[in-house]
Amino acid sequence: MAKPSENRILDGRDVDLARAVSGDDGNDDAPIMLQPEVPAALTFNGHSHAVMMVSPHDLEDFMVGFALSEGIADDISQITLRDVRKTLQGYVIEADLHEDVFDRLADRQRTLEGRSGCGLCGVQSLEAVAMDKIGTVTPSNMTQDVVLRAIDALPDHQTRNREGGGLLHASAFVDVSGNIVLVREDIGRHNALDKVLGAIARQGIDPTGGFILMTSRCSYEIVTKTVQFGVGGLVTLSGPTLTAVNLARKAGLTMICRERRGLFRRFA
């Protein structure tokens, strides 16, 4: 029998049963599901734009949400999904952009691999970040009972996270009554947000009619993507950075985040 300290070689499946040892003698095994993170190449009009590390599900939503939250396109009507295919190296997601917005790709070109925890890898210049050019939104009026109702309900919607040992971030769109409309999950927090934004667009949901709920900390990119998409409210289950707070205030975004003491504070 293999020793508990020995590593296993993955056999290429999307999920893999791993051996978890809870006893000193190594006899107390408990199978868990490991969640994959794989490269996904985003291709617009036949040109490779970015390679992101993602959880390999809801990739059509991810592509649409990425294009909209990055400001590559203004509306889903400017995006035509062509294909999502699996290769030996990962996934290729193909879409065509309307000619009116195709030239924007050069302003946000990413040539290096994007990491699940970093949204700036591969941006070619500081000008491409453009954090001072954030737009504005109409602030959402999220009452305390509405926010807490959504937070309490979120775990029941995190099916992949529950199966995979609690490793995935979740992003949810919540209506004005605190009901969770849809949820998407991913190993990367901004990927999860892109997926839920893409799902909102593809399902024709009005983004101004609710707010985003994230299981992650609140970074500048979570704020900019939310504002770019036109959502006026954001709730995160961990604290914000100073930059995120300043950007939210500048944009008019209503932002509520959990502090280290477990309390929620309205930061913007």
Side-chain angles (χ1 to χ4, degrees):
M1 184 176 66
K3 297 179 181 180
S5 61
E6 290 180 348
N7 295 323
R8 294 185 59 202
I9 299 175
L10 298 181
D11 62 6
R13 292 178 293 170
D14 284 343
V15 292
D16 192 80
L17 288 174
R19 188 169 183 271
V21 179
S22 57
D24 293 337
D25 57 3
N27 292 324
D28 223 353
D29 294 351
I32 63 171
M33 300 294 285
L34 293 182
Q35 294 292 333
E37 51 179 333
V38 300
L42 281 61
T43 300
F44 294 103
N45 297 59
H47 300 277
S48 181
H49 179 68
V51 178
M52 306 294 292
M53 296 299 293
V54 301
S55 299
H57 48 78
D58 300 313
L59 295 181
E60 294 91 346
D61 290 339
F62 174 65
M63 182 61 144
V64 171
F66 179 91
L68 294 173
S69 71
E70 292 285 331
I72 295 171
D74 300 318
D75 185 85
I76 192 172
S77 64
Q78 298 169 328
I79 309 166
T80 301
L81 287 169
R82 292 300 184 192
D83 191 23
V84 177
R85 66 180 187 275
K86 188 174 183 179
T87 71
L88 292 176
Q89 293 79 26
Y91 286 79
V92 177
I93 315 172
E94 297 180 344
D96 288 343
L97 296 173
H98 192 276
E99 59 182 9
D100 291 344
V101 296
F102 182 71
D103 290 342
R104 296 183 188 178
L105 289 176
D107 296 330
R108 192 64 176 166
Q109 184 66 46
R110 299 180 182 211
T111 58
L112 302 178
E113 178 186 272
R115 303 291 183 180
S116 61
C118 172
L120 288 181
C121 296
V123 173
Q124 291 181 311
S125 68
L126 290 177
E127 287 75 14
V129 181
M131 286 190 287
D132 61 332
K133 298 179 181 178
I134 191 168
T136 59
V137 290
T138 301
S140 295
N141 182 22
M142 296 123 62
T143 61
Q144 176 175 289
D145 62 322
V146 164
V147 171
L148 295 180
R149 183 183 303 123
I151 292 172
D152 289 342
L154 183 58
D156 289 338
H157 295 266
Q158 295 177 255
T159 54
R160 294 182 185 275
N161 186 62
R162 189 164 53 248
E163 295 168 353
L167 297 178
L168 299 183
H169 289 295
S171 178
F173 183 70
V174 185
D175 68 18
V176 293
S177 299
N179 302 309
I180 294 179
V181 178
L182 52 84
V183 175
R184 293 293 183 268
E185 299 173 273
D186 198 276
I187 196 71
R189 62 184 183 277
H190 50 81
N191 294 343
L193 179 55
D194 279 338
K195 286 181 177 180
V196 85
L197 296 180
I200 292 169
R202 296 180 72 209
Q203 295 183 31
I205 299 171
D206 180 7
T208 64
F211 62 92
I212 295 294
L213 171 61
M214 299 284 303
T215 58
S216 68
R217 65 181 172 88
C218 186
S219 63
Y220 91 91
E221 189 171 25
I222 298 299
V223 171
T224 56
K225 284 178 175 288
T226 301
V227 171
Q228 177 68 41
F229 195 78
V231 180
L234 173 64
V235 178
T236 68
L237 301 189
S238 190
T241 65
L242 177 61
T243 302
V245 172
N246 289 338
L247 287 173
R249 290 173 177 172
K250 183 175 182 178
L253 177 71
T254 301
M255 190 172 75
I256 298 172
C257 307
R258 185 165 61 185
E259 296 181 299
R260 290 186 177 182
R261 294 176 295 171
L263 303 174
F264 283 86
R265 180 189 297 271
R266 190 182 297 266
F267 286 91

